[in-house]
Amino acid sequence: MPNNKPRLLVARIFPQDVMDRAARDYDCIVNSEDANWSGDDVIARAGDVDAILTSARTKYPAEVIQGLPANVRMLATFSVGYEHIDLDAAKARGLVVTNTPDVLTEAVADITILLLLAASRRIGRAAAARARAMGMTIHYHNRSRLAPDLEQGAVYHDTPQSLLKVAQFLSIHCESTPETRHLINEDGIALMPEGAIIVNTARGDIIDDDALIPALESGRIAAAGLDVFAGEPDVDKRYFTTKNAFILPHIGSATVETRNAMGFRALDNLDAFFQGEEPVDRLA
Ligand code: 8YV
């Protein structure tokens, strides 16, 4: 790194190893109270920084991106998801944006299976549910079909509707976009087999809570395992009393190793940018 360290606004407290590396290589202004900063809070503190390391908790719609002082050249988010950042606005302003893909995939997959098993315990015998979970036939929908070596025998459905019709267990793994918002709504649930189970470790707003909660209450959907919620950190309080909803506080990536890897990946992207290279996870 050059002697004159770039100035970095660290908008949350990240794991200690990540904070230490950031402090070694950057001149950091840290949200030392780990407060939930709004976009305006970030703008108010960004007058003197070259880049921002943020979590997904702070939202960056167009007005926040446009409100960032001209000295801010890069925004690195400590998350794979980037629905909290208006990428078009970032591109228009020339703000480089990166995320942290890949490094949390295994941890989130573990939580997905945990939710699948936990939610399944409420149907039939737990042992039978576990056995079925482990011997599942995999069906999937994706915008494009995967190559055979990635598909590994899974059955491809070219529409979400076609997949929903056969999904005894549905696990959601897509991004939150205008197209996927409320993908699992009343019509979608109506297509699913009676007594299906839904697991969501992706983003809460892909499910329409006003459709899922009544379906859980009636037993039309036997159980749900949810790590993510629309409007986080606020959670639809009905989930707290819905007996067949097994809920977690968005801990999909919450292992020390994974969170370190996410932070290091965000710092790798920042380092690349300030060394005049292309950050590998560049989104805008
Ligand atoms: C993160 C996530 O823990 O990376 C993501 O997109 O949803 C989570 O795993 C969270 O966003 C922390 O910023």
Side-chain angles (χ1 to χ4, degrees), residues 14 54-57 77-84 100 104 108 201-203 227-228 250-254 258-259 262:
F14 297 108
T54 187
S55 77
R57 189 59 68 75
T77 183
F78 179 96
S79 61
V80 63
Y82 50 86
E83 74 288 341
H84 54 294
T100 61
L104 65 165
V108 176
T201 51
R203 282 294 181 266
D227 186 42
V228 287
H250 197 152
I251 55 163
S253 68
T258 300
R259 289 275 166 92
M262 291 168 74

Side-chain angles (χ1 to χ4, degrees), residues 205-224:
D205 62 1
I206 296 164
I207 292 178
D208 179 359
D209 294 331
D210 287 332
L212 178 59
I213 291 168
L216 286 167
E217 282 166 352
S218 72
R220 174 70 181 75
I221 294 297

Side-chain angles (χ1 to χ4, degrees), residues 8-11 14 39 42 46 49-56 58-61 64-66 68 71-79 82 84-87 89-90 93-100 266-267 269-270 273-274 279 281-284:
L8 181 65
L9 181 64
V10 182
F14 297 108
V42 168
V49 299
D50 300 299
I52 301 168
L53 175 58
T54 187
S55 77
T58 305
K59 312 287 176 228
Y60 298 85
V64 172
I65 301 267
Q66 286 152 10
L68 287 172
N71 47 279
V72 178
R73 292 186 286 148
M74 177 166 173
L75 178 63
T77 183
F78 179 96
S79 61
Y82 50 86
H84 54 294
I85 303 170
D86 186 326
L87 293 184
R93 183 198 171 283
L95 180 71
V96 172
V97 179
T98 59
N99 67 340
T100 61
L267 289 171
N269 285 310
L270 284 158
F273 176 75
F274 286 107
D281 303 315
R282 185 167 180 172
L283 300 166

Side-chain angles (χ1 to χ4, degrees), residues 102-117 134 171-173 199 201-202 227 248 251-255 258:
D102 305 332
V103 287
L104 65 165
T105 306
E106 300 300 322
V108 176
D110 289 345
I111 290 293
T112 303
I113 297 301
L114 181 148
L115 286 172
L116 204 69
L117 293 173
M134 292 307 135
S171 186
I172 300 169
H173 298 278
V199 167
T201 51
D227 186 42
L248 292 175
I251 55 163
S253 68
T255 70
T258 300

Side-chain angles (χ1 to χ4, degrees), residues 173-257:
H173 298 278
C174 56
E175 293 172 14
S176 167
T177 65
E179 292 73 40
T180 63
R181 184 166 190 276
H182 287 186
L183 186 62
I184 307 306
N185 55 16
E186 210 176 305
D187 293 344
I189 287 173
L191 294 173
M192 295 181 72
E194 189 73 31
I197 287 178
I198 296 176
V199 167
N200 190 7
T201 51
R203 282 294 181 266
D205 62 1
I206 296 164
I207 292 178
D208 179 359
D209 294 331
D210 287 332
L212 178 59
I213 291 168
L216 286 167
E217 282 166 352
S218 72
R220 174 70 181 75
I221 294 297
L226 307 172
D227 186 42
V228 287
F229 301 87
E232 287 179 36
D234 297 327
V235 174
D236 190 319
K237 295 202 173 24
R238 292 175 292 174
Y239 282 119
F240 299 148
T241 51
T242 302
K243 291 192 170 54
N244 44 356
F246 183 91
I247 61 175
L248 292 175
H250 197 152
I251 55 163
S253 68
T255 70
V256 173
E257 293 80 1

